[in-house]
Coordinates of all heavy atoms in Angstrom, one line a residue:
M1 N 47.8 69.4 34.5 CA 46.7 70.2 34.0 C 47.1 71.5 33.3 O 46.8 71.7 32.2 CB 45.7 70.4 35.1 CG 44.6 71.5 34.8 SD 43.3 71.8 36.0 CE 44.2 71.8 37.5
F2 N 47.8 72.3 34.0 CA 48.3 73.6 33.5 C 49.7 73.4 33.0 O 50.7 73.8 33.6 CB 48.2 74.7 34.5 CG 46.8 74.9 35.1 CD1 46.5 74.7 36.4 CD2 45.8 75.3 34.2 CE1 45.2 74.8 36.9 CE2 44.5 75.5 34.7 CZ 44.2 75.3 36.0
N3 N 49.8 72.8 31.8 CA 51.1 72.5 31.2 C 51.4 73.5 30.0 O 50.7 74.4 29.8 CB 51.2 71.1 30.8 CG 50.2 70.7 29.8 OD1 49.9 71.5 28.9 ND2 49.7 69.5 29.9
K4 N 52.5 73.2 29.3 CA 52.9 74.1 28.2 C 51.8 74.1 27.1 O 51.9 75.0 26.2 CB 54.2 73.7 27.7 CG 54.2 72.3 27.0 CD 55.6 71.9 26.5 CE 55.6 70.6 25.8 NZ 54.8 70.4 24.7
D5 N 50.9 73.2 27.0 CA 49.9 73.1 26.0 C 48.6 73.7 26.4 O 47.6 73.6 25.7 CB 49.7 71.7 25.5 CG 50.9 71.0 24.9 OD1 51.6 71.8 24.2 OD2 51.2 69.9 25.2
F6 N 48.6 74.3 27.6 CA 47.3 74.9 28.1 C 47.4 76.4 27.8 O 48.2 77.1 28.3 CB 47.2 74.6 29.6 CG 46.0 75.2 30.2 CD1 44.7 74.8 29.9 CD2 46.1 76.2 31.2 CE1 43.6 75.3 30.5 CE2 45.0 76.7 31.8 CZ 43.7 76.3 31.4
Y7 N 46.4 76.9 27.1 CA 46.3 78.3 26.7 C 44.9 78.9 27.0 O 44.1 78.9 26.2 CB 46.5 78.5 25.2 CG 47.9 78.0 24.7 CD1 48.0 76.7 24.2 CD2 49.0 78.8 24.8 CE1 49.3 76.2 23.7 CE2 50.3 78.3 24.4 CZ 50.4 77.0 23.9 OH 51.6 76.6 23.5
P8 N 44.7 79.3 28.3 CA 43.4 79.9 28.6 C 43.2 81.2 27.9 O 44.1 82.0 27.6 CB 43.5 80.1 30.1 CG 44.9 80.1 30.5 CD 45.6 79.3 29.4
T9 N 42.0 81.4 27.4 CA 41.7 82.6 26.7 C 41.5 83.8 27.6 O 40.6 83.8 28.5 CB 40.4 82.4 25.8 OG1 40.5 81.2 25.1 CG2 40.1 83.6 24.9
P10 N 42.3 84.8 27.4 CA 42.1 86.0 28.3 C 40.8 86.7 28.0 O 40.3 86.7 26.9 CB 43.3 86.9 27.9 CG 44.3 86.0 27.2 CD 43.4 84.9 26.5
V11 N 40.3 87.4 29.0 CA 39.0 88.1 28.9 C 39.0 89.1 27.8 O 38.1 89.3 27.1 CB 38.5 88.6 30.2 CG1 39.4 89.8 30.7 CG2 37.1 89.0 30.2
E12 N 40.2 89.8 27.6 CA 40.3 90.8 26.6 C 40.1 90.2 25.2 O 39.5 90.8 24.3 CB 41.7 91.5 26.6 CG 41.9 92.2 27.9 CD 42.4 91.3 29.0 OE1 42.9 90.2 28.8 OE2 42.4 91.7 30.2
V13 N 40.6 89.0 25.0 CA 40.5 88.3 23.7 C 39.0 87.9 23.5 O 38.5 88.0 22.4 CB 41.4 87.1 23.6 CG1 41.2 86.2 22.4 CG2 42.9 87.5 23.7
I14 N 38.4 87.4 24.6 CA 37.0 87.0 24.5 C 36.1 88.2 24.1 O 35.3 88.1 23.2 CB 36.5 86.3 25.8 CG1 37.3 85.1 26.1 CG2 35.0 85.9 25.7 CD1 37.2 84.6 27.5
A15 N 36.4 89.3 24.8 CA 35.6 90.5 24.5 C 35.8 91.0 23.0 O 34.8 91.4 22.4 CB 36.1 91.6 25.4
T16 N 37.0 90.8 22.5 CA 37.3 91.2 21.1 C 36.5 90.2 20.2 O 35.9 90.6 19.2 CB 38.8 91.2 20.8 OG1 39.4 92.2 21.6 CG2 39.0 91.5 19.3
M17 N 36.6 88.9 20.5 CA 35.9 87.9 19.7 C 34.4 88.1 19.6 O 33.8 87.9 18.5 CB 36.1 86.5 20.3 CG 37.5 85.9 20.2 SD 37.8 84.4 21.2 CE 36.3 83.5 21.3
L18 N 33.9 88.6 20.7 CA 32.4 88.7 20.7 C 31.9 90.2 20.7 O 30.8 90.5 21.0 CB 31.9 88.0 22.0 CG 32.1 86.5 22.0 CD1 31.7 85.9 23.4 CD2 31.4 85.8 20.9
A19 N 32.8 91.1 20.3 CA 32.5 92.5 20.3 C 31.2 92.9 19.6 O 30.5 93.7 20.1 CB 33.6 93.3 19.7
N20 N 30.8 92.3 18.6 CA 29.6 92.6 17.8 C 28.6 91.5 17.9 O 27.8 91.3 16.9 CB 29.9 93.0 16.4 CG 30.8 94.2 16.3 OD1 30.5 95.2 17.0 ND2 31.9 94.2 15.6
T21 N 28.6 90.7 18.9 CA 27.8 89.5 19.0 C 26.9 89.6 20.3 O 27.4 89.8 21.4 CB 28.6 88.2 19.1 OG1 29.5 88.2 18.0 CG2 27.8 87.0 19.1
D22 N 25.6 89.4 20.1 CA 24.7 89.4 21.3 C 24.5 88.0 21.8 O 24.0 87.2 21.0 CB 23.4 90.0 20.8 CG 22.4 90.1 21.9 OD1 22.8 90.0 23.1 OD2 21.2 90.3 21.7
V23 N 25.0 87.7 23.0 CA 24.8 86.4 23.6 C 23.7 86.3 24.5 O 23.3 85.2 25.0 CB 26.1 85.9 24.3 CG1 27.3 85.9 23.3 CG2 26.5 86.8 25.5
K24 N 23.0 87.4 24.8 CA 21.9 87.5 25.8 C 20.8 86.5 25.4 O 20.4 86.5 24.2 CB 21.4 88.9 25.9 CG 20.4 89.0 27.0 CD 20.0 90.5 27.2 CE 18.9 90.4 28.2 NZ 18.8 91.3 29.2
D25 N 20.4 85.7 26.3 CA 19.3 84.8 26.2 C 19.5 83.7 25.2 O 18.6 83.1 24.7 CB 18.0 85.5 25.9 CG 17.6 86.4 27.0 OD1 17.8 86.1 28.2 OD2 17.1 87.5 26.7
K26 N 20.8 83.4 24.8 CA 21.1 82.4 23.9 C 21.6 81.1 24.6 O 22.2 81.2 25.7 CB 22.2 82.9 22.9 CG 21.8 84.1 22.2 CD 21.7 83.9 20.7 CE 21.5 85.1 19.9 NZ 20.9 86.3 20.3
V27 N 21.4 80.0 24.0 CA 22.0 78.7 24.4 C 23.3 78.5 23.6 O 23.2 78.5 22.4 CB 21.0 77.5 24.2 CG1 21.7 76.2 24.6 CG2 19.7 77.7 25.0
I28 N 24.4 78.4 24.3 CA 25.7 78.4 23.6 C 26.5 77.2 24.0 O 26.5 76.8 25.1 CB 26.4 79.7 24.0 CG1 25.6 80.9 23.6 CG2 27.8 79.8 23.3 CD1 26.1 82.3 24.1
L29 N 27.2 76.7 23.0 CA 28.1 75.5 23.2 C 29.5 76.0 23.2 O 29.9 76.8 22.3 CB 27.9 74.5 22.1 CG 28.9 73.3 22.1 CD1 28.8 72.5 23.4 CD2 28.7 72.5 20.9
E30 N 30.3 75.7 24.2 CA 31.8 75.9 24.2 C 32.4 74.5 24.1 O 32.5 73.8 25.1 CB 32.2 76.6 25.5 CG 33.4 77.5 25.4 CD 34.7 77.0 25.0 OE1 34.8 75.9 24.3 OE2 35.7 77.5 25.4
P31 N 32.9 74.1 22.9 CA 33.4 72.7 22.7 C 34.8 72.4 23.2 O 35.2 71.2 23.1 CB 33.2 72.6 21.2 CG 33.4 73.9 20.7 CD 32.8 74.9 21.7
S32 N 35.5 73.4 23.6 CA 36.9 73.1 24.2 C 37.1 74.1 25.3 O 37.9 75.0 25.2 CB 37.9 73.3 23.1 OG 39.2 73.0 23.5
A33 N 36.4 73.8 26.4 CA 36.2 74.8 27.4 C 37.4 75.1 28.3 O 37.4 76.2 29.0 CB 35.0 74.4 28.3
G34 N 38.4 74.3 28.4 CA 39.5 74.6 29.2 C 39.1 74.7 30.7 O 38.4 73.9 31.2
K35 N 39.5 75.8 31.3 CA 39.1 76.1 32.7 C 37.8 76.9 32.8 O 37.4 77.3 33.8 CB 40.2 76.6 33.6 CG 40.7 78.0 33.2 CD 41.8 78.4 34.2 CE 42.2 79.8 33.9 NZ 41.3 80.8 34.4
G36 N 37.3 77.3 31.6 CA 36.0 78.0 31.6 C 36.0 79.5 31.5 O 35.0 80.1 31.8
N37 N 37.1 80.1 31.0 CA 37.1 81.5 30.8 C 36.0 82.0 29.9 O 35.3 83.0 30.2 CB 38.4 82.0 30.3 CG 39.5 81.9 31.3 OD1 39.3 81.3 32.4 ND2 40.7 82.4 31.0
I38 N 35.7 81.3 28.8 CA 34.7 81.7 27.9 C 33.3 81.5 28.5 O 32.4 82.3 28.4 CB 34.8 81.0 26.5 CG1 36.1 81.5 25.8 CG2 33.6 81.2 25.6 CD1 36.5 80.8 24.5
I39 N 33.2 80.4 29.2 CA 31.9 80.1 29.9 C 31.6 81.3 30.9 O 30.5 81.8 30.9 CB 32.0 78.8 30.8 CG1 32.1 77.6 29.9 CG2 30.8 78.7 31.7 CD1 32.5 76.3 30.6
D40 N 32.6 81.7 31.7 CA 32.4 82.8 32.6 C 31.9 84.1 31.9 O 31.0 84.7 32.3 CB 33.7 83.1 33.4 CG 34.1 82.0 34.3 OD1 33.3 81.2 34.7 OD2 35.3 82.0 34.6
Y41 N 32.6 84.4 30.8 CA 32.3 85.6 30.0 C 30.8 85.5 29.5 O 30.1 86.5 29.6 CB 33.3 85.8 28.9 CG 33.0 87.1 28.1 CD1 33.7 88.2 28.5 CD2 32.1 87.1 27.0 CE1 33.5 89.4 27.8 CE2 31.9 88.3 26.4 CZ 32.6 89.4 26.7 OH 32.4 90.6 26.0
L42 N 30.5 84.4 28.9 CA 29.1 84.2 28.3 C 28.1 84.4 29.4 O 27.1 85.1 29.2 CB 29.0 82.9 27.7 CG 29.9 82.7 26.4 CD1 29.9 81.2 26.0 CD2 29.4 83.6 25.3
Q43 N 28.3 83.8 30.6 CA 27.3 83.9 31.6 C 27.2 85.3 32.2 O 26.1 85.8 32.4 CB 27.7 82.9 32.7 CG 27.4 81.5 32.3 CD 27.9 80.4 33.3 OE1 28.7 80.7 34.2 NE2 27.3 79.3 33.2
Q44 N 28.3 86.0 32.3 CA 28.3 87.4 32.8 C 27.7 88.3 31.8 O 27.3 89.4 32.2 CB 29.8 87.8 33.1 CG 30.4 87.1 34.2 CD 31.9 87.3 34.3 OE1 32.5 88.0 33.5 NE2 32.5 86.6 35.3
N45 N 27.6 87.9 30.5 CA 27.0 88.7 29.5 C 25.6 88.2 29.1 O 25.1 88.6 28.0 CB 27.9 88.9 28.3 CG 29.1 89.8 28.7 OD1 28.9 91.0 28.6 ND2 30.2 89.2 29.2
G46 N 24.9 87.5 29.9 CA 23.5 87.1 29.7 C 23.1 85.9 29.0 O 22.0 85.8 28.6
A47 N 24.1 85.0 28.7 CA 23.7 83.8 28.0 C 22.7 83.0 28.9 O 22.7 83.0 30.1 CB 24.9 82.9 27.8
K48 N 21.7 82.5 28.2 CA 20.6 81.7 28.8 C 21.1 80.5 29.4 O 20.8 80.1 30.6 CB 19.5 81.4 27.8 CG 18.4 80.6 28.4 CD 17.3 80.4 27.3 CE 16.2 79.6 27.8 NZ 15.2 79.3 26.7
E49 N 22.0 79.7 28.7 CA 22.6 78.5 29.1 C 23.9 78.3 28.3 O 23.9 78.6 27.2 CB 21.7 77.3 28.9 CG 22.2 76.0 29.4 CD 21.3 74.8 29.2 OE1 20.3 74.9 28.4 OE2 21.6 73.8 29.8
V50 N 24.9 77.8 29.0 CA 26.1 77.4 28.4 C 26.4 75.9 28.5 O 26.3 75.4 29.7 CB 27.3 78.2 28.9 CG1 28.6 77.8 28.2 CG2 27.1 79.7 28.8
L51 N 26.5 75.2 27.4 CA 26.9 73.8 27.4 C 28.3 73.7 27.1 O 28.9 74.6 26.4 CB 26.1 73.1 26.3 CG 24.6 73.3 26.3 CD1 23.9 72.7 25.1 CD2 23.9 72.9 27.6
C52 N 29.0 72.7 27.6 CA 30.5 72.6 27.3 C 31.0 71.2 27.1 O 30.3 70.3 27.5 CB 31.2 73.4 28.4 SG 31.2 72.6 30.0
C53 N 32.1 71.1 26.5 CA 32.9 69.9 26.4 C 34.3 70.2 26.8 O 34.8 71.3 26.6 CB 32.9 69.4 24.9 SG 31.3 69.1 24.2
E54 N 35.0 69.2 27.4 CA 36.4 69.4 27.8 C 37.0 68.0 28.0 O 36.5 67.2 28.8 CB 36.5 70.2 29.1 CG 38.0 70.3 29.6 CD 39.0 70.8 28.5 OE1 38.7 71.8 27.8 OE2 40.0 70.1 28.3
N55 N 38.0 67.7 27.2 CA 38.7 66.4 27.3 C 39.5 66.2 28.5 O 39.5 65.1 29.1 CB 39.6 66.3 26.1 CG 39.1 65.3 25.0 OD1 38.3 64.4 25.4 ND2 39.6 65.4 23.8
N56 N 40.2 67.2 29.0 CA 41.0 67.0 30.2 C 40.2 66.8 31.4 O 39.3 67.6 31.7 CB 41.9 68.2 30.4 CG 42.8 68.1 31.6 OD1 42.4 68.3 32.7 ND2 44.1 67.9 31.3
E57 N 40.4 65.7 32.1 CA 39.6 65.3 33.3 C 39.5 66.4 34.4 O 38.5 66.7 34.9 CB 40.1 64.0 33.9 CG 39.2 63.5 35.0 CD 39.7 62.2 35.6 OE1 40.6 61.5 35.0 OE2 39.2 61.8 36.6
D58 N 40.7 67.0 34.7 CA 40.7 68.0 35.8 C 40.0 69.2 35.3 O 39.3 69.8 36.1 CB 42.2 68.3 36.1 CG 42.9 67.1 36.8 OD1 42.2 66.4 37.6 OD2 44.1 66.9 36.5
L59 N 40.2 69.6 34.1 CA 39.5 70.8 33.6 C 38.1 70.6 33.4 O 37.2 71.5 33.7 CB 40.2 71.3 32.2 CG 41.6 71.7 32.3 CD1 42.2 72.0 30.9 CD2 41.8 73.0 33.2
A60 N 37.7 69.4 33.0 CA 36.2 69.1 32.9 C 35.5 69.2 34.2 O 34.4 69.7 34.3 CB 36.1 67.7 32.3
K61 N 36.2 68.8 35.3 CA 35.6 69.0 36.7 C 35.4 70.5 37.0 O 34.3 70.8 37.5 CB 36.5 68.4 37.7 CG 36.5 66.9 37.7 CD 37.5 66.3 38.7 CE 37.6 64.8 38.6 NZ 38.7 64.3 39.5
I62 N 36.3 71.3 36.6 CA 36.2 72.8 36.8 C 35.0 73.3 36.0 O 34.1 74.0 36.5 CB 37.5 73.5 36.5 CG1 38.6 73.1 37.4 CG2 37.2 75.0 36.5 CD1 40.0 73.6 37.0
C63 N 35.0 72.9 34.7 CA 33.9 73.4 33.8 C 32.5 72.9 34.3 O 31.5 73.6 34.1 CB 34.2 73.0 32.4 SG 35.5 73.9 31.7
S64 N 32.5 71.7 34.8 CA 31.2 71.2 35.2 C 30.6 71.9 36.4 O 29.4 71.8 36.6 CB 31.3 69.7 35.5 OG 32.0 69.4 36.7
T65 N 31.4 72.7 37.1 CA 30.8 73.5 38.2 C 30.3 74.8 37.6 O 29.6 75.6 38.3 CB 31.9 73.8 39.3 OG1 32.9 74.6 38.7 CG2 32.5 72.5 39.8
K66 N 30.6 75.2 36.4 CA 30.2 76.4 35.8 C 29.1 76.3 34.8 O 28.4 77.3 34.5 CB 31.5 77.1 35.1 CG 32.6 77.4 36.0 CD 33.8 77.9 35.3 CE 34.9 78.3 36.2 NZ 35.9 79.2 35.6
A67 N 29.1 75.2 34.1 CA 28.1 75.0 33.0 C 27.8 73.5 32.9 O 28.4 72.7 33.6 CB 28.8 75.5 31.7
R68 N 26.9 73.2 32.0 CA 26.5 71.8 31.8 C 27.5 71.1 30.9 O 27.6 71.4 29.7 CB 25.1 71.7 31.3 CG 24.6 70.2 31.2 CD 23.1 70.0 31.1 NE 22.5 70.8 30.1 CZ 21.8 70.3 29.1 NH1 21.7 69.0 29.0 NH2 21.3 71.0 28.2
L69 N 28.3 70.2 31.4 CA 29.2 69.4 30.7 C 28.4 68.3 30.0 O 27.9 67.4 30.6 CB 30.3 68.8 31.6 CG 31.4 68.0 30.9 CD1 32.4 69.0 30.2 CD2 32.1 67.2 31.9
I70 N 28.3 68.4 28.6 CA 27.4 67.5 27.9 C 28.2 66.3 27.3 O 27.6 65.3 26.9 CB 26.6 68.2 26.8 CG1 27.4 68.9 25.8 CG2 25.6 69.1 27.5 CD1 26.6 69.4 24.6
E71 N 29.5 66.5 27.2 CA 30.4 65.4 26.7 C 31.8 65.8 26.9 O 32.2 67.0 26.9 CB 30.2 65.3 25.2 CG 30.9 64.2 24.5 CD 30.5 62.8 24.9 OE1 29.3 62.5 24.7 OE2 31.3 62.1 25.4
R72 N 32.7 64.9 27.2 CA 34.1 65.2 27.4 C 34.7 65.5 26.0 O 35.4 66.5 25.8 CB 34.8 64.0 28.1 CG 34.4 63.8 29.5 CD 35.2 64.7 30.5 NE 36.6 64.6 30.3 CZ 37.4 63.6 30.8 NH1 36.8 62.6 31.6 NH2 38.7 63.6 30.6
D73 N 34.5 64.6 25.1 CA 35.1 64.7 23.7 C 34.1 65.3 22.8 O 33.1 64.7 22.4 CB 35.5 63.3 23.2 CG 36.2 63.3 21.9 OD1 36.3 64.4 21.2 OD2 36.8 62.3 21.5
F74 N 34.3 66.5 22.3 CA 33.4 67.2 21.4 C 33.1 66.4 20.1 O 32.0 66.4 19.6 CB 34.1 68.6 21.0 CG 33.4 69.3 19.9 CD1 32.2 69.8 20.0 CD2 34.0 69.4 18.7 CE1 31.5 70.5 19.0 CE2 33.4 70.0 17.6 CZ 32.2 70.6 17.8
L75 N 34.1 65.6 19.7 CA 33.9 64.9 18.4 C 32.9 63.7 18.6 O 32.5 63.1 17.6 CB 35.3 64.3 18.0 CG 36.3 65.4 17.6 CD1 37.6 64.8 17.2 CD2 35.8 66.3 16.5
K76 N 32.5 63.4 19.8 CA 31.5 62.4 20.1 C 30.1 62.9 20.1 O 29.1 62.2 20.3 CB 31.8 61.6 21.4 CG 33.1 60.8 21.3 CD 33.3 60.0 22.5 CE 34.6 59.2 22.4 NZ 34.9 58.5 23.6
L77 N 29.9 64.3 20.1 CA 28.6 64.8 20.1 C 27.9 64.5 18.8 O 28.4 64.5 17.7 CB 28.7 66.4 20.2 CG 28.9 67.0 21.5 CD1 29.0 68.5 21.4 CD2 27.8 66.6 22.5
T78 N 26.6 64.3 19.0 CA 25.7 64.1 17.8 C 24.9 65.3 17.6 O 24.6 66.1 18.5 CB 24.8 62.9 18.0 OG1 23.9 63.1 19.1 CG2 25.6 61.6 18.2
S79 N 24.4 65.5 16.4 CA 23.7 66.7 16.0 C 22.4 66.8 16.9 O 21.9 67.9 17.2 CB 23.4 66.8 14.5 OG 22.6 65.7 14.1
E80 N 21.8 65.7 17.2 CA 20.6 65.7 18.0 C 20.8 66.3 19.4 O 19.9 66.9 19.9 CB 20.0 64.2 18.2 CG 19.6 63.6 16.9 CD 20.8 63.0 16.1 OE1 21.8 62.7 16.7 OE2 20.6 62.8 14.9
R81 N 21.9 66.1 19.9 CA 22.2 66.6 21.3 C 22.4 68.1 21.3 O 22.3 68.7 22.4 CB 23.4 65.9 21.9 CG 23.1 64.4 22.1 CD 24.2 63.6 22.7 NE 24.6 64.1 24.0 CZ 25.8 63.9 24.5 NH1 26.7 63.2 23.8 NH2 26.1 64.4 25.7
I82 N 22.8 68.7 20.2 CA 23.0 70.1 20.2 C 22.2 70.9 19.1 O 22.5 72.0 18.8 CB 24.5 70.4 19.9 CG1 25.0 69.8 18.6 CG2 25.3 69.9 21.1 CD1 26.4 70.2 18.2
S83 N 21.1 70.3 18.6 CA 20.3 70.9 17.6 C 19.6 72.1 18.1 O 19.2 73.0 17.3 CB 19.3 69.9 17.0 OG 18.5 69.5 18.0
H84 N 19.5 72.3 19.4 CA 18.8 73.4 20.0 C 19.6 74.6 20.3 O 19.1 75.7 20.7 CB 18.1 72.9 21.3 CG 19.0 72.6 22.4 ND1 19.8 71.5 22.3 CD2 19.3 73.2 23.5 CE1 20.6 71.4 23.4 NE2 20.3 72.5 24.2
I85 N 20.9 74.5 20.1 CA 21.8 75.6 20.5 C 21.7 76.8 19.5 O 21.3 76.6 18.3 CB 23.3 75.2 20.6 CG1 23.9 74.8 19.3 CG2 23.5 74.1 21.7 CD1 25.4 74.7 19.3
D86 N 22.0 78.0 20.0 CA 21.9 79.1 19.1 C 23.3 79.4 18.5 O 23.3 80.0 17.4 CB 21.5 80.4 19.9 CG 20.1 80.2 20.5 OD1 19.2 80.0 19.7 OD2 19.9 80.3 21.7
M87 N 24.3 79.1 19.2 CA 25.7 79.4 18.6 C 26.8 78.6 19.3 O 26.5 78.1 20.4 CB 26.0 80.9 18.7 CG 26.1 81.4 20.2 SD 26.5 83.2 20.5 CE 26.0 84.0 19.0
I88 N 27.9 78.6 18.7 CA 29.1 77.9 19.2 C 30.1 79.0 19.4 O 30.4 79.8 18.5 CB 29.6 76.8 18.3 CG1 28.6 75.7 18.1 CG2 31.0 76.3 18.8 CD1 29.0 74.7 17.1
V89 N 30.7 79.1 20.6 CA 31.8 80.1 20.8 C 33.0 79.3 21.4 O 32.9 78.5 22.3 CB 31.3 81.1 21.8 CG1 32.5 82.1 22.2 CG2 30.2 81.9 21.3
M90 N 34.1 79.5 20.7 CA 35.3 78.8 21.1 C 36.6 79.5 20.6 O 36.5 80.3 19.7 CB 35.3 77.3 20.6 CG 35.4 77.2 19.1 SD 35.4 75.5 18.4 CE 36.9 74.8 19.1
N91 N 37.7 79.2 21.3 CA 39.0 79.6 20.9 C 39.7 78.3 20.7 O 40.3 77.7 21.6 CB 39.6 80.5 21.9 CG 41.0 81.0 21.4 OD1 41.4 80.9 20.3 ND2 41.7 81.7 22.3
P92 N 39.8 77.8 19.4 CA 40.3 76.4 19.2 C 41.8 76.3 19.6 O 42.6 77.2 19.5 CB 40.2 76.3 17.7 CG 39.3 77.3 17.2 CD 39.3 78.4 18.2
P93 N 42.1 75.1 20.2 CA 43.5 74.8 20.5 C 44.3 74.7 19.2 O 43.7 74.5 18.2 CB 43.4 73.5 21.3 CG 42.2 72.9 20.9 CD 41.2 74.0 20.5
F94 N 45.6 75.0 19.3 CA 46.4 74.8 18.2 C 47.6 74.0 18.5 O 47.9 73.6 19.6 CB 46.9 76.2 17.6 CG 47.5 77.1 18.7 CD1 48.8 77.1 18.9 CD2 46.7 77.9 19.4 CE1 49.4 77.9 19.9 CE2 47.2 78.8 20.4 CZ 48.6 78.7 20.6

C-alpha cells in the first residue's frame, strides 16, 4: 500500500492549493483520494459532503471510513453520478 509510488498530499500543499477557494457547504469529489488527506482537509474546512474514488483496495477501505466512496476507478464514473457536485479537488498522481 505505502510503496514508492504513494505520494500523500501534505496539509501544507492542500492549504496552498485551496488558499483562495471556499469549500464551505460544497459537495466535492476527490477522484484519487489515496489515504484521504484531502478529504480530511475538506471536511475540516466545512465541505458539506466529500465523495471519493480510490483504485487501491487498502486505501479505498481507509477512504470509505472518511467519505462516500462512489467508485474505485474514477474513469468509470458517469456524468449522471456526479452532476450534482460543486467542485473537484485533487492532487493528480504522476
Side-chain angles (χ1 to χ4, degrees):
M1 165 174 44
F2 301 115
N3 60 36
K4 66 179 180 62
D5 296 322
F6 180 66
Y7 300 97
T9 306
V11 68
E12 300 81 18
V13 172
I14 302 166
T16 299
M17 288 169 33
L18 298 173
N20 297 309
T21 305
D22 182 13
V23 301
K24 188 174 172 143
D25 298 323
K26 303 245 183 338
V27 177
I28 303 170
L29 172 65
E30 211 297 31
S32 183
K35 67 180 183 74
N37 289 10
I38 293 174
I39 294 170
D40 293 338
Y41 184 92
L42 294 170
Q43 290 174 337
Q44 291 166 3
N45 285 278
K48 179 179 179 180
E49 181 179 16
V50 181
L51 310 174
C52 66
C53 301
E54 176 51 52
N55 250 339
N56 179 285
E57 183 177 352
D58 293 323
L59 295 173
K61 287 178 186 174
I62 294 170
C63 289
S64 70
T65 68
K66 299 178 177 196
R68 185 160 52 117
L69 183 73
I70 59 171
E71 183 68 60
R72 291 276 307 280
D73 184 351
F74 168 70
L75 298 176
K76 292 182 180 178
L77 278 180
T78 60
S79 59
E80 296 81 24
R81 293 179 62 201
I82 57 171
S83 62
H84 67 290
I85 67 167
D86 298 303
M87 63 178 28
I88 296 173
V89 176
M90 66 183 294
N91 184 7
F94 51 90

